[in-house]
Amino acid sequence: MNNKPMILSVIAIVAVIVLGILQFTGGCKKGVSAVPVAADSISAGAGAVVFFDIERVAAEYDYANELGDATEKKIKGITDEVTRRGNQLQNQGNAFNNDYNKGNLTSFQAERKAKELQQKQQEFDAYYQQQQQIAAEERAVMLNKIGNAIIEYVQKFNDQKQFGLIITTQGASNIAAGNPGLDITDAIIAGLNEEYVQKKAKGEIE
């Protein structure tokens, strides 16, 4: 699927929360259970300032892609049903106009049919608004699940690594210069995906 809008939404959620939670490690818990960490490319030690590209993380996180596909499939089903009902109502309106213009209806029949169509239109409008809200809530829940999964992993990751500051960036253009060893993006992606595989095997993924 084209997940660019989803990536941007995840970025917005994660960037705000991560920067608020993970700026300093003074409050990190000690002795936490190990989490999957691909650390070979990381040269930074405890207390260092590191960064990860949230755009890449959102795009390459398997859970985000699979949940996004499932959610969009569900929303497509909602949209298709709304379209079907809308087309059905449109066809009924066209049939009414055709009969009316040909003089196939008495004034009483035309008035009654017009009222019926008006009532159906009002019902459809209410249904449309309801389904729009359901679709928006489905997307919001999806984004919250993805954002929370990333945030929780980064927290556990930093409980082990004890970095002094974790910064989220969006694309390489945000970094003018820096030590490649301070970029923990690959480690975050690898760890997230490994953790996802483990949780999926245990049936812990909703």
Side-chain angles (χ1 to χ4, degrees):
M1 77 172 186
N2 181 3
N3 61 356
K4 186 67 173 179
M6 183 191 76
I7 291 172
L8 294 176
S9 298
V10 171
I11 289 169
I13 292 173
V14 176
V16 172
I17 302 178
V18 167
L19 287 174
I21 294 177
L22 298 175
Q23 287 192 355
F24 299 98
T25 61
C28 290
K29 298 177 182 178
K30 307 293 184 180
V32 295
S33 58
V35 296
V37 175
D40 292 345
S41 62
I42 300 175
S43 61
V49 176
V50 296
F51 65 92
F52 69 92
D53 183 347
I54 185 61
E55 186 171 312
R56 273 194 58 208
V57 170
E60 298 178 35
Y61 184 18
D62 292 341
Y63 175 55
N65 288 315
E66 291 183 19
L67 183 59
D69 286 342
T71 301
E72 290 307 315
K73 183 178 180 181
K74 187 182 298 184
I75 291 174
K76 184 179 184 302
I78 293 172
T79 302
D80 287 348
E81 178 61 17
V82 170
T83 300
R84 186 191 69 80
R85 294 193 185 193
N87 289 338
Q88 185 179 54
L89 182 59
Q90 182 66 49
N91 291 336
Q92 291 175 359
N94 291 340
F96 167 72
N97 288 333
N98 187 52
D99 285 340
Y100 182 78
N101 291 333
K102 288 181 177 181
N104 293 337
L105 300 172
T106 65
S107 298
F108 175 76
Q109 289 173 326
E111 182 179 358
R112 184 180 63 182
K113 188 63 176 179
K115 288 182 179 179
E116 289 177 358
L117 288 172
Q118 184 179 26
Q119 177 64 30
K120 287 182 178 180
Q121 181 65 55
Q122 292 173 350
E123 291 173 354
F124 175 78
D125 290 343
Y127 170 77
Y128 173 81
Q129 294 297 328
Q130 179 192 54
Q131 297 306 302
Q132 287 288 97
Q133 181 178 352
I134 290 173
E137 290 177 354
E138 289 284 355
R139 283 197 177 94
V141 168
M142 171 195 71
L143 293 171
N144 285 334
K145 286 182 176 180
I146 296 169
N148 288 333
I150 294 173
I151 291 163
E152 289 170 7
Y153 177 79
V154 174
Q155 286 178 307
K156 290 183 288 186
F157 178 91
N158 202 45
D159 282 344
Q160 289 184 223
K161 306 302 292 185
Q162 292 291 291
F163 294 124
L165 181 69
I166 294 180
I167 299 172
T168 57
T169 67
Q170 184 176 340
S173 60
N174 295 109
I175 302 296
N179 182 345
L182 300 177
D183 184 352
I184 62 172
T185 305
D186 287 339
I188 294 295
I189 293 171
L192 276 167
N193 286 333
E194 185 177 343
E195 182 181 64
Y196 175 52
V197 169
Q198 293 175 359
K199 287 185 175 181
K200 193 174 182 178
K202 296 177 182 177
E204 296 176 358
I205 298 294
E206 297 181 9

